[in-house]
């Protein structure tokens, strides 16, 4: 797996980039905000699993 960080300061451009990335999800792209990365790492270590998709993480939140 490869992780990329994209910093965008223009809200209009952010919406365009997210629109494009959403269309790549069917090909296996996973979109995760930087704010949630630490939570995902903690969840992964406590569950002793190789990976936990962000969608599954949200389903089990609270």
């Amino acid at each position: 797996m490869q992780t990329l960080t994209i910093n965008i300061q223009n809200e209009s451009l952010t919406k365009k980039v997210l629109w494009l990335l959403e269309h790549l999800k069917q090909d296996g792209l996973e979109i995760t905000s930087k704010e949630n990365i630490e939570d995902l790492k903690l969840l992964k270590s406590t569950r002793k699993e190789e990976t936990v998709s962000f969608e599954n993480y949200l389903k089990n939140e609270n």
Side-chain angles (χ1 to χ4, degrees):
M1 179 189 307
Q2 190 171 32
T3 302
L4 302 173
T5 302
I6 301 172
N7 296 312
I8 306 171
Q9 296 181 15
N10 180 306
E11 186 175 342
S12 176
L13 180 57
T14 299
K15 290 178 182 179
K16 291 176 184 178
V17 170
L18 286 174
W19 177 87
L20 174 66
L21 295 176
E22 285 290 335
H23 287 81
L24 298 173
K25 285 176 105 176
Q26 65 190 10
D27 294 324
L29 179 72
E30 183 177 3
I31 302 170
T32 307
S33 70
K34 185 176 180 179
E35 291 79 14
N36 292 320
I37 292 293
E38 288 304 316
D39 288 342
L40 289 172
K41 287 179 182 177
L42 291 171
L43 180 62
K44 177 183 167 186
S45 67
T46 59
R47 293 184 70 194
K48 304 293 184 208
E49 295 180 1
E50 286 187 22
T51 61
V52 176
S53 73
F54 187 62
E55 285 78 13
N56 286 339
Y57 170 75
L58 289 178
K59 287 178 189 174
N60 295 315
E61 187 179 57
N62 293 328

